[in-house]
Amino acid sequence: MVSPSPFLPDRAERLARAVSDLRLGLAVAIGGGDTTWLAISAERADPGRLDAMTETGAAHLAVTARRAETLKISVYDGDMARLSLPRAVDRAWLGGVIDPANDLAQPMKGPFLALRGGDAAPSRAALLLLRKAELLPAAIVAPVESVPEGVLRISLSDMAAVSQTTLAHVVSARLPIAAEVNSALQIFRPDGLGDEHYAVVVGKPDRSAPVLTRLHSACFTGDVLGSLKCDCGPQLNAALRQMAQAGGGVLLYLNQEGRGIGLANKMRAYSLQDQGFDTVEANHRLGFDDDERNFGLGGQILRQMRIGRIKLMTNNPRKLAAFDAEGIEVVERVPLWVGEGDFNRDYLRVKHERSGHLE
Ligand SMILES: Nc1nc2c(ncn2[C@@H]2O[C@H](COP(=O)(O)OP(=O)(O)OP(=O)(O)O)[C@@H](O)[C@H]2O)c(=O)[nH]1
Ligand SMILES: [Zn+2]
């Protein structure tokens, strides 16, 4: 007989499963306190599951403090709020509460009853997992007597593994690119939650000197489509060209689209920007922070590549701090201001004025 225990998922694997279940619209059971709770994405909840979650009258809707602020809901749980839900939730009402697309058209959505006291930790865990699933951070949460068969169970103590992803090198292959034919692409894969990330080695960087490095965040609209709303495409190309001219460099490409909120949410942010909100306000109205990226992954990749000293091409002081925290010495910052135009002037101004980007 084969022993079952090696086949059981560990904490990191359970969390990765929980994120993909929530993304599908499935419920996840969260235990670890006195009560076990079922949580489901408010965005993905189908009518049958929504009714089942709310039929006892004990369900609540968890939203982030950012979203609560826009909805003018009292925040008693620090970074989040829990709203009591009626037995039969009106889906249009729910849509209005969680999705800010119609905030301006439908400004009054209350009255809301915000819960105080009790255990907010399971709801907080659900919100964090939904962010990792790149869904709107709004969860329907209800206590359960018993967990329905087939529903994944996680424990609050599993949540510690959310930020403990370790990346492993998978493969490296030669990749001639327009900037430098002598280049290579390396792939790094997480052991639990998260996406694969890449390192482009341009030319032959001299490892005895600080390596010219760029930490780039995925931007489908800018990198691939040539969107004029941001500066990502020109930054990507300028970085690769400068590395080629310098004889070599490393471009770390982190799959953290939309500053970590995912492409669908970034497009929600863009539609809010069309209503007049700036980049930061749009993120807040959706329930996200200004920037949800984890730059520490870049340092982890460089350590695996045995690169310890770099010249970093960036205007973002948070990136400098992140490499420092990972033990990578940034000996010089190389400013990277390119691609300014009519469509991204406000975006660049907001980076400078609100996000602390350097000259
Ligand atoms: N949420 C959101 N993300 C955006 C928006 N515009 C661009 N992005 C994302 O922002 C990231 C690029 O970040 P930036 O702040 O432009 O630049 P940075 O990489 O932090 O800083 P630099 O190193 O100085 O370029 C990419 O992940 C883009 O997909 C937006 O309006 N909203
Ligand atoms: Zn972009």
Side-chain angles (χ1 to χ4, degrees):
M1 264 252 312
V2 177
S3 154
S5 50
F7 296 100
L8 295 177
D10 66 17
R11 287 205 305 199
E13 291 157 345
R14 278 196 297 277
L15 285 188
R17 276 192 174 179
V19 165
S20 75
D21 279 8
L22 288 168
R23 196 167 163 77
L24 284 170
L26 295 170
V28 168
I30 306 175
D34 299 336
T35 313
T36 298
W37 304 78
L38 279 192
I40 197 163
S41 150
E43 175 185 353
R44 299 285 276 126
D46 68 22
R49 290 186 183 133
L50 186 58
D51 287 349
M53 291 290 289
T54 53
E55 70 186 358
T56 63
H60 64 261
L61 176 69
V63 295
T64 65
R66 295 284 191 201
R67 184 70 192 136
E69 217 171 284
T70 303
L71 295 169
K72 311 228 172 349
I73 297 168
S74 311
V75 175
Y76 301 120
D77 299 328
D79 54 354
M80 55 165 285
R82 290 165 295 152
L83 312 182
S84 152
L85 279 179
R87 270 205 169 74
V89 175
D90 179 70
R91 284 173 63 77
W93 173 85
L94 183 64
V97 177
I98 63 167
D99 186 348
N102 54 4
D103 275 355
L104 289 187
Q106 225 191 34
M108 290 306 294
K109 299 191 186 78
F112 298 103
L113 176 63
L115 303 177
R116 293 179 91 140
D119 190 4
S123 307
R124 181 169 291 112
L127 290 180
L128 184 52
L129 296 174
L130 288 173
R131 288 160 114 116
K132 299 290 172 193
E134 300 185 343
L135 295 172
L136 285 174
I140 295 164
V141 183
V144 279
E145 299 271 308
S146 62
V147 177
E149 185 160 357
V151 168
L152 182 81
R153 292 158 183 270
I154 60 162
S155 143
L156 286 173
S157 59
D158 291 341
M159 293 303 292
V162 155
S163 50
Q164 289 170 354
T165 302
T166 307
L167 296 170
H169 179 264
V170 180
V171 61
S172 175
R174 255 173 25 81
L175 185 74
I177 59 176
E180 168 58 61
V181 291
N182 185 18
S183 297
L185 182 62
Q186 304 193 8
I187 310 295
F188 293 84
R189 184 174 290 164
D191 60 351
L193 205 56
D195 294 303
E196 292 181 352
H197 304 288
Y198 321 132
V200 187
V201 181
V202 179
K204 285 265 171 283
D206 172 7
R207 282 151 182 278
S208 66
V211 174
L212 188 59
T213 302
R214 166 80 182 146
L215 182 61
H216 185 87
S217 306
C219 177
F220 172 74
T221 47
D223 299 345
V224 179
L225 301 179
S227 158
L228 303 176
K229 256 181 85 74
C230 59
D231 56 345
C232 302
Q235 281 191 325
L236 176 63
N237 292 316
L240 293 171
R241 266 198 320 272
Q242 285 182 38
M243 286 173 193
Q245 275 160 14
V250 172
L251 183 130
L252 303 170
Y253 192 100
L254 300 187
N255 276 308
Q256 302 186 121
E257 173 66 62
R259 297 188 181 148
I261 67 176
L263 187 56
N265 287 322
K266 184 172 94 170
M267 289 305 102
R268 289 183 169 126
Y270 275 11
S271 78
L272 292 176
Q273 289 166 28
D274 284 341
Q275 296 177 34
F277 299 107
D278 73 27
T279 327
V280 172
E281 289 162 348
N283 262 34
H284 292 179
R285 291 188 90 84
L286 287 162
F288 295 105
D289 288 329
D290 305 20
D291 196 331
E292 303 252 347
R293 286 174 289 181
N294 171 9
F295 292 134
L297 297 169
Q300 230 195 87
I301 295 175
L302 285 188
R303 279 209 309 273
Q304 298 206 21
M305 296 173 77
R306 302 193 189 289
I307 294 172
R309 296 174 74 225
I310 61 174
K311 288 192 279 188
L312 188 64
M313 309 171 83
T314 188
N315 311 311
N316 186 342
R318 286 188 53 236
K319 292 186 183 176
L320 301 171
F323 279 113
D324 191 53
E326 289 290 323
I328 306 287
E329 188 191 351
V330 182
V331 301
E332 186 187 333
R333 179 179 76 89
V334 181
L336 189 62
W337 285 110
V338 288
E340 181 172 334
D342 289 345
F343 294 97
N344 64 11
R345 197 156 286 125
D346 283 351
Y347 166 78
L348 296 174
R349 183 181 50 74
V350 170
K351 277 216 243 190
H352 193 52
E353 289 176 2
R354 297 197 65 173
S355 308
H357 278 60
L358 308 162
E359 289 290 344

